[in-house]
Amino acid sequence: MAKRYDAIIVGGGHNGLVAAAYLARAGREVLVLEQRHLVGGATVTEELYPGFKYSVFSYVVSLLRPEIMRDLSLARHGLEILPLESTFTPLPGGDYLLRGPDHAQTHREIYRHSPRDADVYDEYGRLMAQMAMAVRPILGMVPPDPAAPGWRDLQSLAQLGSHVRALGGERFHALAKLMTMSAADFLDEWFECEPLKATMSASGIIGTFLGPRSPGSAYVLLHHYMGEIDGAFRAWGFARGGTGAISSAIASAARSFGAEIRTNAAVQQVITKNGRAMGVVLADGEEIYARVVASSLDPKRTFLKLCAPADLPTEFREAIERFKIRGSSGKVNLSLAALPNFTSLPGMGMHLRGSISISPSMDYLEQAFDDAKYGEFSRHPYMDVLIPSLIDPGMAPPGQHVMSCFVQYAPYNLKGGWTDAQRTAFGDTVVNTLCEYAPNLRENILHRQVLSPADIESVTGLTEGNIFQGELALNQLFFLRPVPGWAQYRTPVRALYQCGSGTHPGGGICGAPGRLAAMEMLRDGL
Amino acid sequence: MLPGTPFHSRTAPLCAAHNWRRWGPCVVAGSYDLHPEREYFAVRTSAALFDVSPLYKYAIRGVDATRLLNRVITRDVSRCRVGQVFYTPWCDAAGKVLDDGTLQRLGESVFRLTCAEPNLQWLYANATGLQVEIEDVSEQVAALSLQGPSARAILQHLCPADLNDLRYFHVMGSQLGSVAVEISRTGYSGDLGYEVWCEAAAAPQLWDLIWEAGMPYGLVPAGILALDVARVEAGLLLLDVDYTSARAAAIEARKSSPYELGLGWAVDLRKENFVGRAALALEQTRPAQWRFVGIEVDWLDVEGLFNAAGLAPQVPTQTLRASVPLYLSDEWVGYASSTVWSPITKRYIGLAHLRAPHFATGTSLQMEVTVEHQRRLASAKVVELPFYDPPRKRS
């Protein structure tokens, strides 16, 4: 008789691997099934052009939990996270805004644009860091269900209450505003400098189908500060070897604990019997059995593709159908013969070694969103650009470079669909936009990879190419993620769990969903 | 005013931080940027260029050169082949360490000794009756240290010989451009690296060559603050920080033997008589009183202590060169002499001296941590050195 595993993890993205590592570490026999030839999901490095390595999809480590790095000894398994030094916002008029690691230098630079903002900037940073401290425990917590609280839910709720109470009046009020306002309105209360506001607000819109003036976009501003309070652990940064190195390190840790990982093994369906998951069927018809099955795929794929409709309550199915997972971004990866030379700040410097943000003003971002609202990609998109080879020279041959451009907005439901011509036009728009700031870019492009949200979906399987497996909007966070009543990693199908970014606390290379799900499985007696 | 090094004309314009620090008889860059983090990461991910000219350097030549050095250092010089480099301490008659450094054997009876403090008089004193020429070439010889995974590729662009043939702790003569150099496969970083030695007059030219070759590889000029983090990760001790020279110790208790500094492997009691041999031979027969070890401070404990005060954890991001007490239960059992947050291993680490019998690997300790002006204790444990040891270091 074929081997029966303790757990099958569907999908070898970083969360699937984290879940597998934690289960294997607890002595369980675990099998990870990944459809592609390499693990990582959207967290992969691929050499698509000889010598040039692309972090094809995700490109920075966002909030990888320190406890995961520690529990899985990821440093020993090769994970090295390098600092991103600066945020550079080139401006159309030939000016720029550059924020770096040095406090005084950044103050001077903001002062150039707005003396008032320069002073307020620190105050704002402190307040946000304090709120992040209060909110951070939520990232490591199984969301309590406030509607049907059990003993543990009540405990979590009480714990949460005491955290919020400890914030004190001023910060509590700021937190309430963050939870309800738009990023633009919230930042308007603090700052006047357009490029500063726009660049800061960008973190609130990444991966969502919202503009900076849409309510609810303020909350994600806080995420940026969560990384800072992890301090020396450096949760934000660039992984040496690209984001694929993160998956490799987690996979290596999982294997060291005894987990089995199979690639080229696409799961077609979850096998159920009497409302209980028994195993999976692969695309080639092979059946594999386990005591539990955990899916790290997004909620729509998990429940609408892998599960038979009859296995799910209708209300649940409908809620999953309503789950917002709109693709809103694309990715352009470039191989370069030489560095881009920015008109506003020529030559090499700190400004090229961090994030380059195309976000000159709030109006610019909101107009970029306007295009998307009506089914077009942004004619002048917001971009978060990185030159990974300047941070890790191993990403490209000596003297040459790779450039990663995260581009928003690129709606999945593009008018006329994502044809080859549209994809090319999208790629041209990105290059043209960048050339407005760094004209030498075009002539130095050796290779260009353009990924529309449809491409992201077809390669990684992420529904609509949404990078977070579901938007990080307040109505889809915490005990509402993915749907109310099912935010604790369990599902209406017994022994079927969810462990991807579609669960709390959500997307980015964070790993917390995988870890928390594994702990819930173990809690249930696996 | 202390002088700069022969590379000053090149390092000064790069030193945006104006962060000059004394090292031996000179000033060198502490860091080039206000935030030296990038300089540290260059050592581990690309390549960093350090000006290590302030090292004291002595040329020792003559038929009795081997005899002199065998009298001074604790290792057996006759085992050091031409083209080989020895790391070694040397001691006073009581077997207490005076200094440590590297000995390059450049010819059958041609050596170069490098060290942190002046040792000319000590060499003279031990050369009585020997046919040997001792020359202080500290100012005549300039040196650059190129450390990091790309170090070999960069240097290979300039070096006619195949650098794969230059093994770990070996040295060879070469010509880089028009500059005559010696290249040693050494460094103070615990990574793949080389040190390049040349005449002081050619120093700017050497810098330019390496600088240009290194550009495509992301070469970063790096100061001693970055080096100070790397060397702790590599488990390498530093005079005046991790130990006191017997020459400078105000009290007996501040002196250390090689055994107490983890350098027992570098003491060769089988060779002919050398300074301190009798004392060391005796000490070797007795159980050790002290041992130099690595410690790892428990992150959760540190985080908990700071969180209790409403703060994010604070750890030294530059090597803390201060003695920090270590306890076992309530008993003082030793001290950490260098502590730092290791960015690459994501561990809070330290080099420490522990009293017998508390130095076995795995021993649980407590380290003093100051949280909001109050002294607290965080758990720590004794771990093996080095903390970071990539295979490329010896490759």
Side-chain angles (χ1 to χ4, degrees):
Chain A
M1 187 180 151
K3 177 172 179 176
R4 182 166 179 251
Y5 291 88
D6 289 325
I8 289 172
I9 310 288
V10 183
H14 76 282
N15 274 310
L17 295 169
V18 166
Y22 272 92
L23 292 176
R25 181 169 167 261
R28 304 301 178 274
E29 285 196 64
V30 186
L31 173 68
V32 179
L33 296 169
E34 166 56 40
Q35 52 144 352
R36 290 194 72 198
H37 63 282
L38 78 173
V39 293
T43 311
V44 290
T45 304
E46 293 181 76
E47 191 176 324
L48 295 180
Y49 186 64
F52 295 84
K53 293 170 193 151
Y54 294 158
S55 289
V56 180
F57 307 102
S58 69
Y59 54 101
V60 287
V61 191
S62 40
L63 281 168
L64 186 58
R65 305 317 302 143
E67 58 268 28
I68 295 175
M69 295 193 236
R70 215 169 30 234
D71 291 346
L72 305 182
S73 306
L74 294 186
R76 201 158 48 76
H77 288 283
L79 177 67
E80 299 177 7
I81 299 181
L82 313 177
L84 291 167
E85 279 186 61
S86 59
T87 307
F88 171 56
T89 312
L91 302 175
D95 200 351
Y96 62 87
L97 174 70
L98 175 62
R99 290 176 289 149
D102 189 69
H103 170 263
Q105 235 172 356
T106 299
H107 186 276
R108 251 181 97 85
E109 171 66 2
I110 298 176
Y111 191 93
R112 217 163 55 75
H113 294 268
S114 160
R116 223 193 114 265
D117 284 7
D119 287 358
V120 174
Y121 187 69
D122 292 338
E123 220 178 296
Y124 174 82
R126 257 195 308 278
L127 178 73
M128 294 298 272
Q130 285 163 341
M131 284 191 288
M133 280 275 277
V135 171
R136 187 179 56 154
I138 292 176
L139 293 186
M141 174 190 269
V142 174
D145 188 344
W151 168 239
R152 200 160 63 114
D153 299 294
L154 287 173
Q155 248 184 332
S156 302
L157 286 168
Q159 203 188 331
L160 217 71
S162 75
H163 270 298
V164 172
R165 229 183 7 260
L167 273 176
E170 186 203 2
R171 286 175 244 159
F172 176 75
H173 296 139
L175 188 61
K177 284 182 173 184
L178 265 185
M179 295 289 190
T180 50
M181 289 173 86
S182 72
D185 286 343
F186 187 79
L187 290 166
D188 275 341
E189 291 192 354
W190 286 87
F191 304 106
E192 60 188 15
C193 169
E194 280 295 320
L196 180 64
K197 282 190 292 185
T199 306
M200 290 171 100
S201 76
S203 63
I205 56 170
I206 282 181
T208 71
F209 206 87
L210 297 175
R213 292 187 178 128
S214 311
S217 53
Y219 165 73
V220 188
L221 295 176
L222 205 52
H223 272 224
H224 184 76
Y225 289 86
M226 304 252 187
E228 291 193 7
I229 55 175
D230 287 324
F233 241 100
R234 184 170 297 295
W236 285 87
F238 181 84
R240 182 172 183 217
T243 47
I246 304 167
S247 313
S248 306
I250 304 171
S252 163
R255 284 196 195 96
S256 77
F257 295 125
E260 222 178 288
I261 299 172
R262 270 175 68 179
T263 51
N264 295 314
V267 173
Q268 193 154 53
Q269 197 164 17
V270 175
I271 304 169
T272 58
K273 196 171 161 188
N274 303 327
R276 183 185 177 89
M278 307 297 289
V280 297
V281 190
L282 300 189
D284 64 5
E286 183 184 348
E287 296 185 0
I288 310 174
Y289 292 89
R291 289 165 58 203
V292 305
V293 175
S295 169
S296 64
L297 313 186
D298 69 68
K300 294 216 188 212
R301 270 192 93 203
T302 300
F303 297 111
L304 306 180
K305 300 263 169 67
L306 297 189
C307 293
D311 284 335
L312 299 171
T314 308
E315 297 81 352
F316 177 80
R317 231 188 114 78
E318 283 173 344
I320 293 292
E321 276 165 1
R322 284 193 296 266
F323 182 64
K324 288 262 183 292
I325 184 166
R326 294 169 296 187
S328 60
S329 57
K331 184 86 193 290
V332 172
N333 297 309
L334 302 173
S335 295
L336 301 177
L339 284 173
N341 197 23
F342 282 83
T343 323
S344 57
L345 194 52
M348 169 59 184
M350 172 177 85
H351 64 295
L352 299 183
R353 292 193 298 260
S355 163
I356 301 166
S357 182
I358 306 299
S359 50
S361 69
M362 279 296 187
D363 282 349
Y364 180 96
L365 296 186
E366 192 65 26
Q367 274 156 4
F369 180 50
D370 285 344
D371 292 334
K373 272 189 270 185
Y374 306 109
E376 310 278 354
F377 59 76
S378 308
R379 296 298 137 187
H380 297 280
Y382 159 69
M383 276 186 249
D384 186 25
V385 178
L386 215 63
I387 308 174
S389 49
L390 276 181
I391 302 157
D392 170 10
M395 297 296 286
Q400 301 186 309
H401 294 278
V402 280
M403 190 185 223
S404 151
C405 314
F406 171 86
V407 193
Q408 197 159 318
Y409 298 79
Y412 176 80
N413 290 308
L414 192 71
K415 242 182 229 165
W418 280 101
T419 58
D420 286 350
Q422 286 280 33
R423 190 196 295 108
T424 304
F426 176 63
D428 290 346
T429 298
V430 167
V431 172
N432 292 340
T433 305
L434 286 172
C435 283
E436 288 172 25
Y437 304 95
N440 75 327
L441 180 73
R442 195 186 322 273
E443 70 215 45
N444 284 307
I445 297 174
L446 302 170
H447 175 259
R448 169 173 119 173
Q449 180 194 30
V450 182
L451 294 162
S452 71
D455 297 324
I456 297 175
E457 180 184 55
S458 76
V459 179
T460 64
L462 288 166
T463 299
E464 290 206 11
N466 182 287
I467 60 170
F468 291 142
Q469 286 202 356
E471 290 165 58
L472 293 183
L474 277 178
N475 59 322
Q476 300 197 150
L477 286 177
F478 204 35
F479 56 80
L480 303 174
R481 191 170 186 87
V483 296
W486 298 101
Q488 296 181 339
Y489 310 97
R490 294 171 191 81
T491 71
V493 179
R494 272 180 297 137
L496 175 65
Y497 290 82
Q498 29 180 355
C499 64
S501 296
T503 58
H504 173 77
I509 304 174
C510 161
R515 172 175 172 270
L516 290 170
M519 286 160 71
E520 288 303 284
M521 289 179 232
L522 294 170
R523 223 184 123 76
D524 287 349
L526 174 67
Chain B
M1 201 167 101
L2 284 176
T5 75
F7 297 103
H8 196 75
S9 65
R10 296 302 185 267
T11 54
L14 293 169
C15 189
H18 299 290
N19 178 10
W20 299 98
R21 294 172 62 107
R22 191 191 65 78
W23 178 7
C26 311
V27 290
V28 293
S31 70
Y32 288 84
D33 279 350
L34 285 164
H35 291 258
E37 208 176 8
R38 189 168 74 95
E39 298 167 28
Y40 160 81
F41 275 105
V43 177
R44 300 292 181 223
T45 60
S46 52
L49 190 59
F50 298 94
D51 176 1
V52 294
S53 304
L55 285 168
Y56 287 89
K57 305 164 222 78
Y58 301 104
I60 297 153
R61 304 180 200 91
V63 287
D64 287 333
T66 308
R67 284 184 66 196
L68 165 66
L69 287 163
N70 253 339
R71 189 175 287 180
V72 173
I73 71 169
T74 56
R75 291 182 75 181
D76 186 352
V77 179
S78 61
R79 290 166 163 268
C80 183
R81 290 182 302 273
V82 175
Q84 203 176 348
V85 183
F86 266 12
Y87 167 79
T88 182
W90 49 97
C91 299
D92 66 5
K96 302 297 183 184
V97 179
L98 291 168
D99 203 342
D100 65 307
T102 58
L103 179 69
Q104 305 171 2
R105 188 162 199 171
L106 300 172
E108 188 52 41
S109 42
V110 183
F111 294 88
R112 182 189 287 143
L113 184 70
T114 69
C115 42
E117 291 283 319
N119 279 279
L120 187 63
Q121 166 55 24
W122 185 247
L123 291 170
Y124 278 144
N126 284 287
T128 314
L130 298 179
Q131 281 190 29
V132 61
E133 187 192 323
I134 304 163
E135 190 188 353
D136 182 350
V137 293
S138 301
E139 288 189 16
Q140 285 96 298
V141 176
L144 287 177
S145 181
L146 178 65
Q147 304 289 312
S150 304
R152 180 178 292 142
I154 293 170
L155 212 51
Q156 193 64 74
H157 277 284
L158 304 167
C159 178
D162 186 351
L163 281 169
N164 287 306
D165 296 338
L166 182 63
R167 286 181 295 139
Y168 191 50
F169 269 81
H170 281 71
V171 61
M172 66 177 188
S174 186
Q175 176 103 10
L176 306 183
S178 60
V179 183
V181 297
E182 284 89 36
I183 300 173
S184 58
R185 177 70 183 79
T186 50
Y188 195 50
S189 68
D191 219 293
L192 171 65
Y194 298 85
E195 287 168 309
V196 187
W197 315 77
C198 76
E199 285 294 326
Q205 217 183 326
L206 177 66
W207 177 282
D208 294 343
L209 283 168
I210 295 180
W211 187 245
E212 202 174 313
M215 272 297 102
Y217 294 88
L219 179 64
V220 172
I224 54 179
L225 292 177
L227 192 58
D228 208 14
V229 178
R231 65 102 190 162
V232 175
E233 291 178 329
L236 301 171
L237 44 67
L238 180 59
L239 179 66
D240 281 341
V241 174
D242 297 300
Y243 76 98
T244 307
S245 168
R247 210 180 272 139
I251 53 173
E252 227 18 62
R254 288 196 182 164
K255 299 178 179 177
S256 310
S257 78
Y259 298 112
E260 292 169 338
L261 295 179
L263 299 176
W265 63 271
V267 177
D268 195 335
L269 293 171
R270 292 163 306 177
K271 70 166 184 168
E272 59 189 294
N273 194 24
F274 63 96
V275 183
R277 185 184 181 283
L280 291 172
L282 188 65
E283 182 177 337
Q284 211 215 7
T285 63
R286 297 175 179 160
Q289 295 302 300
W290 284 91
R291 189 175 286 172
F292 186 66
V293 298
I295 58 162
E296 180 179 351
V297 188
D298 188 292
W299 174 265
L300 286 180
D301 242 31
V302 174
E303 192 176 51
L305 289 172
F306 279 95
N307 284 351
L311 295 169
Q314 288 157 17
V315 289
T317 51
Q318 286 172 13
T319 297
L320 181 68
R321 296 173 164 197
S323 171
V324 181
L326 296 169
Y327 299 92
L328 201 143
S329 304
D330 284 333
E331 188 194 353
W332 177 78
V333 292
Y335 59 99
S337 44
S338 295
T339 44
V340 73
W341 171 255
S342 160
I344 209 89
T345 65
K346 294 195 183 292
R347 294 153 81 196
Y348 187 5
I349 60 173
L351 299 174
H353 301 262
L354 284 171
R355 271 197 327 213
H358 309 296
F359 42 56
T361 298
T363 306
S364 292
L365 307 161
Q366 291 92 43
M367 187 179 85
E368 195 177 281
V369 178
T370 304
V371 181
E372 206 48 16
H373 324 293
Q374 295 185 61
R375 287 177 182 168
R376 305 282 190 193
L377 292 176
S379 315
K381 66 171 189 285
V382 179
V383 298
E384 296 282 346
L385 288 175
F387 300 100
Y388 185 70
D389 196 17
R392 61 177 180 259
K393 177 171 98 176
R394 285 182 180 75
S395 70

Short mmCIF file of all heavy atoms in Angstrom, two decimals, chain A residues 369-387:
data_model
loop_
_atom_site.label_atom_id
_atom_site.label_comp_id
_atom_site.label_asym_id
_atom_site.label_seq_id
_atom_site.Cartn_x
_atom_site.Cartn_y
_atom_site.Cartn_z
N PHE A 369 -4.41 55.42 -10.87
CA PHE A 369 -5.52 54.56 -10.46
C PHE A 369 -6.75 54.80 -11.35
O PHE A 369 -7.47 53.87 -11.70
CB PHE A 369 -5.85 54.80 -8.99
CG PHE A 369 -6.99 53.96 -8.47
CD1 PHE A 369 -7.03 52.59 -8.68
CD2 PHE A 369 -8.03 54.54 -7.75
CE1 PHE A 369 -8.08 51.81 -8.21
CE2 PHE A 369 -9.09 53.77 -7.28
CZ PHE A 369 -9.11 52.41 -7.50
N ASP A 370 -6.96 56.07 -11.71
CA ASP A 370 -8.10 56.41 -12.57
C ASP A 370 -8.11 55.54 -13.84
O ASP A 370 -9.13 54.98 -14.21
CB ASP A 370 -8.07 57.89 -12.98
CG ASP A 370 -8.48 58.79 -11.82
OD1 ASP A 370 -9.06 58.27 -10.84
OD2 ASP A 370 -8.21 60.01 -11.89
N ASP A 371 -6.96 55.42 -14.48
CA ASP A 371 -6.88 54.60 -15.69
C ASP A 371 -7.39 53.19 -15.40
O ASP A 371 -8.16 52.62 -16.16
CB ASP A 371 -5.43 54.52 -16.20
CG ASP A 371 -4.94 55.86 -16.73
OD1 ASP A 371 -5.78 56.66 -17.16
OD2 ASP A 371 -3.71 56.09 -16.71
N ALA A 372 -6.92 52.65 -14.26
CA ALA A 372 -7.24 51.25 -13.93
C ALA A 372 -8.72 51.06 -13.64
O ALA A 372 -9.30 50.02 -13.96
CB ALA A 372 -6.40 50.80 -12.75
N LYS A 373 -9.32 52.07 -13.02
CA LYS A 373 -10.74 51.97 -12.69
C LYS A 373 -11.58 51.66 -13.92
O LYS A 373 -12.59 51.01 -13.85
CB LYS A 373 -11.21 53.30 -12.10
CG LYS A 373 -11.03 53.41 -10.60
CD LYS A 373 -11.73 54.64 -10.04
CE LYS A 373 -10.79 55.82 -10.03
NZ LYS A 373 -11.35 57.03 -9.41
N TYR A 374 -11.12 52.20 -15.06
CA TYR A 374 -11.90 52.04 -16.29
C TYR A 374 -11.26 51.03 -17.24
O TYR A 374 -11.42 51.10 -18.45
CB TYR A 374 -12.10 53.41 -16.94
CG TYR A 374 -12.71 54.38 -15.94
CD1 TYR A 374 -11.99 55.43 -15.41
CD2 TYR A 374 -14.02 54.16 -15.48
CE1 TYR A 374 -12.54 56.27 -14.46
CE2 TYR A 374 -14.59 55.00 -14.51
CZ TYR A 374 -13.84 56.06 -14.02
OH TYR A 374 -14.38 56.86 -13.06
N GLY A 375 -10.46 50.11 -16.64
CA GLY A 375 -10.01 48.97 -17.44
C GLY A 375 -8.78 49.20 -18.29
O GLY A 375 -8.49 48.42 -19.20
N GLU A 376 -8.02 50.26 -18.00
CA GLU A 376 -6.78 50.49 -18.75
C GLU A 376 -5.61 50.34 -17.78
O GLU A 376 -5.76 50.55 -16.58
CB GLU A 376 -6.72 51.93 -19.29
CG GLU A 376 -7.95 52.39 -20.05
CD GLU A 376 -7.95 51.92 -21.49
OE1 GLU A 376 -6.93 51.33 -21.93
OE2 GLU A 376 -8.97 52.12 -22.18
N PHE A 377 -4.44 50.02 -18.31
CA PHE A 377 -3.27 50.13 -17.42
C PHE A 377 -2.86 51.58 -17.36
O PHE A 377 -3.18 52.37 -18.28
CB PHE A 377 -2.13 49.19 -17.86
CG PHE A 377 -1.58 49.39 -19.23
CD1 PHE A 377 -0.72 50.46 -19.51
CD2 PHE A 377 -1.89 48.50 -20.26
CE1 PHE A 377 -0.20 50.63 -20.78
CE2 PHE A 377 -1.37 48.68 -21.53
CZ PHE A 377 -0.52 49.74 -21.80
N SER A 378 -2.18 51.96 -16.30
CA SER A 378 -1.83 53.36 -16.10
C SER A 378 -0.94 53.85 -17.23
O SER A 378 0.05 53.20 -17.57
CB SER A 378 -1.10 53.55 -14.77
OG SER A 378 -1.82 52.97 -13.73
N ARG A 379 -1.29 55.00 -17.77
CA ARG A 379 -0.43 55.58 -18.82
C ARG A 379 0.85 56.10 -18.19
O ARG A 379 1.91 56.15 -18.81
CB ARG A 379 -1.16 56.72 -19.54
CG ARG A 379 -2.40 56.28 -20.32
CD ARG A 379 -2.07 55.29 -21.43
NE ARG A 379 -3.06 54.21 -21.46
CZ ARG A 379 -2.97 53.12 -22.22
NH1 ARG A 379 -1.95 52.94 -23.01
NH2 ARG A 379 -3.91 52.20 -22.18
N HIS A 380 0.73 56.54 -16.94
CA HIS A 380 1.91 56.97 -16.16
C HIS A 380 1.86 56.23 -14.84
O HIS A 380 1.32 56.71 -13.87
CB HIS A 380 1.90 58.48 -15.95
CG HIS A 380 1.98 59.25 -17.22
ND1 HIS A 380 3.17 59.46 -17.89
CD2 HIS A 380 1.02 59.82 -17.99
CE1 HIS A 380 2.94 60.14 -19.00
NE2 HIS A 380 1.64 60.37 -19.08
N PRO A 381 2.42 55.02 -14.82
CA PRO A 381 2.23 54.16 -13.65
C PRO A 381 3.11 54.53 -12.46
O PRO A 381 4.17 55.15 -12.62
CB PRO A 381 2.61 52.78 -14.18
CG PRO A 381 3.54 53.04 -15.32
CD PRO A 381 3.16 54.37 -15.90
N TYR A 382 2.62 54.13 -11.30
CA TYR A 382 3.47 54.12 -10.10
C TYR A 382 4.43 52.97 -10.24
O TYR A 382 4.05 51.89 -10.70
CB TYR A 382 2.61 53.94 -8.84
CG TYR A 382 3.41 53.42 -7.68
CD1 TYR A 382 4.38 54.23 -7.07
CD2 TYR A 382 3.25 52.12 -7.20
CE1 TYR A 382 5.15 53.75 -6.03
CE2 TYR A 382 4.02 51.63 -6.16
CZ TYR A 382 4.97 52.44 -5.58
OH TYR A 382 5.75 51.97 -4.57
N MET A 383 5.69 53.19 -9.85
CA MET A 383 6.65 52.10 -9.92
C MET A 383 7.55 52.08 -8.70
O MET A 383 7.92 53.12 -8.17
CB MET A 383 7.54 52.27 -11.14
CG MET A 383 6.95 51.73 -12.41
SD MET A 383 8.16 51.85 -13.71
CE MET A 383 7.40 53.10 -14.68
N ASP A 384 7.85 50.86 -8.26
CA ASP A 384 8.85 50.66 -7.23
C ASP A 384 9.98 49.88 -7.91
O ASP A 384 9.81 48.72 -8.26
CB ASP A 384 8.24 49.88 -6.06
CG ASP A 384 9.21 49.79 -4.89
OD1 ASP A 384 10.09 50.66 -4.77
OD2 ASP A 384 9.08 48.84 -4.09
N VAL A 385 11.10 50.57 -8.11
CA VAL A 385 12.18 50.01 -8.91
C VAL A 385 13.37 49.71 -8.01
O VAL A 385 13.69 50.47 -7.09
CB VAL A 385 12.59 51.02 -10.01
CG1 VAL A 385 13.75 50.48 -10.84
CG2 VAL A 385 11.40 51.34 -10.91
N LEU A 386 14.02 48.60 -8.33
CA LEU A 386 15.18 48.18 -7.55
C LEU A 386 16.27 47.74 -8.53
O LEU A 386 15.96 47.19 -9.58
CB LEU A 386 14.75 46.98 -6.71
CG LEU A 386 15.33 46.80 -5.33
CD1 LEU A 386 14.90 47.97 -4.46
CD2 LEU A 386 14.79 45.51 -4.72
N ILE A 387 17.52 47.99 -8.15
CA ILE A 387 18.62 47.46 -8.96
C ILE A 387 19.34 46.43 -8.09
O ILE A 387 20.34 46.74 -7.43
CB ILE A 387 19.57 48.59 -9.42
CG1 ILE A 387 18.75 49.70 -10.10
CG2 ILE A 387 20.64 48.05 -10.37
CD1 ILE A 387 19.56 50.94 -10.46
#
